[in-house]
Coordinates of all heavy atoms in Angstrom, one line a residue:
L1 N 32.8 90.8 -16.8 CA 32.9 92.2 -16.4 C 32.1 92.2 -15.1 O 32.3 93.0 -14.1 CB 32.4 93.2 -17.4 CG 33.2 93.3 -18.8 CD1 32.7 94.3 -19.7 CD2 34.8 93.6 -18.4
A2 N 30.9 91.6 -15.1 CA 30.0 91.7 -14.0 C 30.5 91.0 -12.7 O 30.0 91.2 -11.6 CB 28.8 91.0 -14.2
V3 N 31.6 90.2 -12.7 CA 32.2 89.7 -11.5 C 32.6 90.8 -10.6 O 32.3 90.6 -9.4 CB 33.6 88.8 -11.9 CG1 34.4 88.6 -10.7 CG2 33.2 87.7 -12.8
Y4 N 33.0 92.0 -11.0 CA 33.3 93.1 -10.2 C 32.3 94.2 -10.3 O 32.6 95.3 -9.8 CB 34.7 93.5 -10.3 CG 35.6 92.4 -10.0 CD1 36.4 91.6 -10.8 CD2 35.9 92.2 -8.6 CE1 37.2 90.6 -10.5 CE2 36.8 91.1 -8.1 CZ 37.5 90.4 -9.1 OH 38.2 89.4 -8.8
D5 N 31.3 94.2 -11.0 CA 30.4 95.3 -11.2 C 28.9 94.8 -10.8 O 28.3 94.0 -11.5 CB 30.4 95.6 -12.7 CG 29.6 96.9 -13.0 OD1 28.5 97.1 -12.5 OD2 30.0 97.7 -13.9
E6 N 28.5 95.2 -9.6 CA 27.2 94.8 -9.1 C 26.1 95.2 -10.0 O 25.1 94.5 -10.1 CB 27.2 95.2 -7.6 CG 28.1 94.6 -6.8 CD 28.0 95.1 -5.3 OE1 26.9 95.6 -5.0 OE2 29.0 95.0 -4.5
D7 N 26.2 96.5 -10.5 CA 25.1 96.9 -11.4 C 24.8 96.0 -12.6 O 23.8 95.8 -12.9 CB 25.2 98.3 -11.8 CG 25.1 99.3 -10.6 OD1 24.4 99.0 -9.6 OD2 25.7 100.4 -10.7
L8 N 26.0 95.7 -13.3 CA 25.9 94.9 -14.4 C 25.5 93.4 -14.0 O 24.7 92.9 -14.6 CB 27.3 94.9 -15.0 CG 27.5 94.2 -16.3 CD1 26.4 94.9 -17.4 CD2 29.0 94.5 -16.9
A9 N 25.9 92.9 -12.9 CA 25.4 91.6 -12.5 C 24.0 91.8 -12.1 O 23.2 90.7 -12.5 CB 26.0 91.3 -11.1
R10 N 23.3 92.7 -11.7 CA 21.9 92.8 -11.5 C 21.2 92.7 -12.8 O 20.1 92.2 -12.9 CB 21.6 94.1 -10.6 CG 21.7 93.9 -9.1 CD 21.1 95.1 -8.4 NE 21.9 96.3 -8.4 CZ 22.9 96.6 -7.7 NH1 23.4 95.7 -6.8 NH2 23.6 97.7 -7.9
K11 N 21.8 93.4 -13.7 CA 21.1 93.5 -15.1 C 21.1 92.1 -15.6 O 20.1 91.6 -16.3 CB 21.9 94.4 -16.0 CG 21.6 96.0 -15.7 CD 22.5 96.7 -16.6 CE 22.4 98.2 -16.3 NZ 23.2 98.9 -17.3
L12 N 22.1 91.3 -15.4 CA 22.3 90.1 -15.9 C 21.3 89.1 -15.3 O 20.7 88.2 -15.8 CB 23.7 89.4 -15.9 CG 24.6 90.0 -16.9 CD1 26.0 89.7 -16.4 CD2 24.3 89.2 -18.3
D13 N 21.2 89.3 -13.9 CA 20.2 88.6 -13.1 C 18.7 88.8 -13.6 O 18.0 87.8 -13.8 CB 20.2 88.8 -11.7 CG 21.6 88.3 -11.1 OD1 22.2 87.4 -11.6 OD2 21.9 88.7 -10.0
A14 N 18.4 89.9 -13.9 CA 17.1 90.4 -14.4 C 16.9 89.7 -15.8 O 15.8 89.2 -16.1 CB 17.0 91.8 -14.4
Y15 N 17.9 89.7 -16.6 CA 17.8 89.2 -18.0 C 17.6 87.7 -17.9 O 16.7 87.2 -18.5 CB 19.1 89.4 -18.6 CG 19.3 88.7 -20.0 CD1 18.5 89.1 -21.1 CD2 20.2 87.7 -20.3 CE1 18.5 88.4 -22.4 CE2 20.3 87.0 -21.5 CZ 19.5 87.4 -22.5 OH 19.7 86.9 -23.7
K16 N 18.3 87.0 -17.0 CA 18.0 85.5 -16.8 C 16.7 85.2 -16.3 O 16.1 84.3 -16.6 CB 19.2 84.9 -16.0 CG 20.5 85.0 -16.7 CD 21.5 83.9 -16.2 CE 22.8 84.0 -17.0 NZ 23.2 82.7 -17.5
A17 N 16.2 86.0 -15.3 CA 14.8 85.8 -14.8 C 13.8 86.1 -15.9 O 12.7 85.2 -16.0 CB 14.6 86.8 -13.6
Q18 N 14.0 87.0 -16.7 CA 13.1 87.2 -17.9 C 13.1 86.1 -18.8 O 11.9 85.7 -19.1 CB 13.5 88.5 -18.6 CG 12.6 88.9 -19.9 CD 13.2 90.1 -20.6 OE1 14.2 90.6 -20.3 NE2 12.6 90.3 -21.6
M19 N 14.2 85.6 -19.2 CA 14.3 84.4 -20.0 C 13.5 83.2 -19.4 O 12.7 82.5 -19.9 CB 15.7 84.0 -20.3 CG 16.4 84.8 -21.2 SD 18.0 84.1 -21.9 CE 18.9 83.7 -20.3
S20 N 13.6 83.0 -18.1 CA 13.0 82.0 -17.3 C 11.5 82.1 -17.4 O 10.7 81.2 -17.7 CB 13.5 81.9 -15.9 OG 12.7 80.9 -15.2
E21 N 11.0 83.3 -17.1 CA 9.7 83.7 -17.2 C 9.0 83.5 -18.6 O 8.0 82.9 -18.6 CB 9.4 85.1 -16.8 CG 9.7 85.3 -15.3 CD 9.6 86.9 -14.9 OE1 9.4 87.8 -15.7 OE2 10.1 87.1 -13.7
E22 N 9.8 83.8 -19.7 CA 9.2 83.4 -21.0 C 9.0 82.0 -21.1 O 8.1 81.6 -21.9 CB 10.3 84.0 -22.0 CG 10.3 85.6 -22.1 CD 11.3 86.1 -23.0 OE1 11.8 85.3 -23.8 OE2 11.6 87.3 -22.9
V23 N 9.9 81.2 -20.7 CA 9.8 79.7 -21.0 C 8.6 79.2 -20.0 O 7.8 78.4 -20.8 CB 11.2 79.0 -20.5 CG1 10.9 77.5 -20.4 CG2 12.3 79.4 -21.4
I24 N 8.5 79.7 -18.9 CA 7.2 79.3 -18.1 C 6.0 79.7 -18.9 O 5.0 78.9 -18.9 CB 7.4 79.7 -16.7 CG1 8.6 79.2 -16.1 CG2 6.1 79.6 -15.9 CD1 8.9 79.9 -14.7
R25 N 5.9 80.9 -19.5 CA 4.7 81.4 -20.1 C 4.6 80.4 -21.3 O 3.3 80.1 -21.6 CB 4.7 82.8 -20.6 CG 4.6 83.8 -19.5 CD 4.3 85.3 -20.0 NE 5.4 85.7 -20.7 CZ 6.6 86.3 -20.2 NH1 6.5 86.5 -18.9 NH2 7.6 86.8 -20.8
K26 N 5.6 80.3 -22.0 CA 5.4 79.2 -23.2 C 4.9 77.9 -22.8 O 4.1 77.3 -23.6 CB 6.7 79.2 -24.0 CG 7.0 80.5 -24.8 CD 8.4 80.4 -25.4 CE 8.8 81.7 -26.2 NZ 9.9 81.7 -26.8
D27 N 5.4 77.3 -21.8 CA 4.9 76.1 -21.4 C 3.4 76.2 -21.0 O 2.7 75.3 -21.3 CB 5.8 75.5 -20.2 CG 5.4 74.1 -19.7 OD1 5.5 73.3 -20.5 OD2 4.9 73.9 -18.6
A28 N 3.2 77.2 -20.1 CA 1.6 77.3 -19.9 C 0.9 77.4 -21.0 O -0.3 76.7 -21.2 CB 1.5 78.5 -18.9
A29 N 1.2 78.1 -22.0 CA 0.5 78.2 -23.3 C 0.4 76.9 -24.0 O -0.7 76.6 -24.6 CB 1.0 79.5 -24.2
L30 N 1.4 76.2 -24.0 CA 1.4 74.9 -24.7 C 0.5 73.8 -23.9 O -0.3 73.2 -24.6 CB 2.9 74.3 -24.7 CG 3.0 72.9 -25.1 CD1 2.7 72.6 -26.6 CD2 4.4 72.2 -24.8
Q31 N 0.5 73.9 -22.7 CA -0.4 73.0 -21.9 C -1.8 73.4 -22.1 O -2.6 72.5 -22.4 CB -0.1 73.2 -20.5 CG 1.3 72.7 -20.0 CD 1.8 71.4 -20.4 OE1 0.8 70.4 -20.4 NE2 2.9 71.3 -21.1

């Protein structure tokens, strides 16, 4: 649906960025 819905695409981009940040935080905690 986000292919033609820029607002939805932005929400998905933010969600993916949040997932990435969580992995980076977990790696830092592991280190």
Side-chain angles (χ1 to χ4, degrees):
L1 297 180
V3 168
Y4 295 105
D5 185 325
E6 292 177 21
D7 292 333
L8 197 51
R10 279 191 287 278
K11 289 178 184 178
L12 283 162
D13 288 342
Y15 172 71
K16 293 204 176 225
Q18 178 186 2
M19 285 192 306
S20 178
E21 290 168 8
E22 287 175 17
V23 171
I24 291 167
R25 277 194 304 273
K26 288 178 181 182
D27 181 59
L30 172 66
Q31 298 310 313

